[in-house]
Amino acid sequence: MRHLCLLVLLAASLAAADPIYVTAFRDPCRAIEVHRLVLANEPVVPLTVVVGGVERQVPAVSVALPRTDWVVHRALVDGLAPATEVTLRFPGTTERVRTLPADLARPLRIATGGDTMHKPEWLAATAKALSARDPDFVVLGGDLAYEDGKNGARVVTWIQTWVASARAPDGRLLPFVSCIGNHEVQGSYGGDITKAPYFYAMLPLGGSATHAIDIGDEVSVILLDSAHTTPIPGPQTAWLAEQLSKRAKRPSIIPIYHYPAWPTVKVSKGEKDPTGNRVSKLIREHWVPLFEAAGVRVVLENDQHTYKRTVPLKGGQPDPGGITYLGDGAWGVDVRRIFPGLTWLAKGAEVRHGYILDIHAGGRIAVTAVDETGKDFDSVDIPAR
Ligand SMILES: [Fe+2]
């Protein structure tokens, strides 16, 4: 029996190999957050960071993953230079990562998508397809592990699968961020941080799912919460207005949230098409006018498990100067049938996929849709405003 226990423990530690994942919620050009998934009885040790042959130690803290045998050891690494290769070392594991460039001398490449893991092999397939394009950064749209705020084992599987598959062609880890989705939350909508214990533990969110992330002087990514743990009207909308006004001169501001303003599948009771959804209406009422006033040209949406590209929309109508909404969350999930006759849809497909956004100096964004096998199947060029 004792031998069997030892074997099981050994197998568990070998399978996990202490995966390290890297996020960048603060300043992806100069700061990263490094997380080591370990069994809860492992001592907390500092992270060793090596840049240009110079080593330093960064203290780690332990964060519980409730009702699992696992914890995350988290180290916040600051004071890095942009576009710099960094070696990360915890006992038994060495990884590399690269900070983001602070200028757009070459286009910044972001990979994005949401609704990532009905099945781990589907998470891995799209992660590999997008990673093969050598992105600088990954921006996820929520519904990562489908643990519903309850099933911690799925979060552990998500981390292990992500670390194994989201790697650039040179093997380095890809830094990522994510907004929150309904499957992170007990009850899906109208909750608070206590209803999403795993999401707020696995990511360094500081108690808020809303973040404005600046990448150099031209690009910002705005992570929003489509009513899962933060209401849409009120403080979140006020915060969004303030963040957008502070960034008025930036050519590329990219909001991302989970439930879409322009959904493609789900029809609420008593409504005639998907746009009648309560959350969608709130987003169109409170956020979209702010996006339009701020010169936003592309918005990332998720949740519906389809491929969606809208025509550019302004005030709810087609307008060449409007916003293109990209979605609709089908990285690693069963895809759904698109609701017929949506006049604002430029392209729809029932296919697992992610996007590559190449963000150029001055604001042009070249968008490529990549399916889970690595094939391009749609593209659009979004001009500067
Ligand atoms: Fe969802």
Side-chain angles (χ1 to χ4, degrees), residues 133 368-371 374-378:
R133 308 299 176 97
T368 308
V370 180
D371 75 14
K375 210 169 86 222
D376 297 2
F377 66 95
D378 190 28

Side-chain angles (χ1 to χ4, degrees), residues 76-301:
L76 305 182
V77 184
D78 296 294
L80 299 168
T84 297
E85 181 136 330
V86 182
T87 298
L88 308 168
R89 210 157 58 220
F90 274 120
T93 318
T94 301
E95 295 283 7
R96 286 175 306 115
V97 68
R98 197 174 68 203
T99 56
L100 269 57
D103 63 42
L104 296 177
R106 64 162 174 85
L108 179 76
R109 177 163 279 194
I110 290 180
T112 184
D115 304 78
T116 66
M117 197 186 84
H118 274 172
K119 295 183 182 178
E121 55 268 38
W122 292 349
L123 164 62
T126 301
K128 285 177 184 166
L130 293 171
S131 300
R133 308 299 176 97
D134 205 9
D136 296 294
F137 195 36
V138 186
V139 176
L140 296 171
D143 281 8
L144 304 183
Y146 284 78
E147 90 284 2
D148 295 319
K150 292 176 192 156
N151 185 350
R154 289 192 65 90
V155 174
V156 171
T157 300
W158 189 93
I159 294 169
Q160 291 165 335
T161 308
W162 177 261
V163 171
S165 49
R167 289 177 182 275
D170 68 2
R172 73 178 191 279
L173 294 174
L174 296 175
F176 73 94
V177 292
S178 181
C179 66
I180 192 167
N182 55 299
H183 283 289
E184 268 81 46
V185 186
Q186 298 162 20
S188 299
Y189 294 88
D192 56 35
I193 64 170
T194 65
K195 303 291 186 194
Y198 297 100
F199 190 73
Y200 283 93
M202 72 176 278
L203 301 177
L205 298 167
S208 172
T210 62
H211 290 263
I213 300 164
D214 296 329
I215 304 167
D217 296 330
E218 293 201 29
V219 183
S220 296
V221 173
I222 314 273
L223 306 176
L224 293 163
D225 180 341
S226 45
H228 311 292
T229 59
T230 321
I232 290 171
Q236 183 174 197
T237 292
W239 174 86
L240 173 62
E242 188 195 335
Q243 299 305 315
L244 291 172
S245 75
K246 275 199 237 169
R247 292 169 176 78
K249 294 216 169 70
R250 291 176 165 256
S252 293
I253 300 172
I254 305 175
I256 179 167
Y257 44 86
H258 187 70
Y259 202 91
W262 298 99
T264 47
V265 177
K266 300 176 184 174
V267 181
S268 302
K269 213 168 160 199
E271 298 293 337
K272 62 182 188 331
D273 73 45
T275 56
N277 176 273
R278 183 185 60 85
V279 173
S280 303
K281 283 180 177 167
L282 285 172
I283 295 171
R284 295 201 303 275
E285 180 186 343
H286 293 275
W287 293 352
V288 166
L290 299 175
F291 298 157
E292 291 178 353
V296 168
R297 289 157 304 111
V298 64
V299 169
L300 306 173
E301 303 193 319

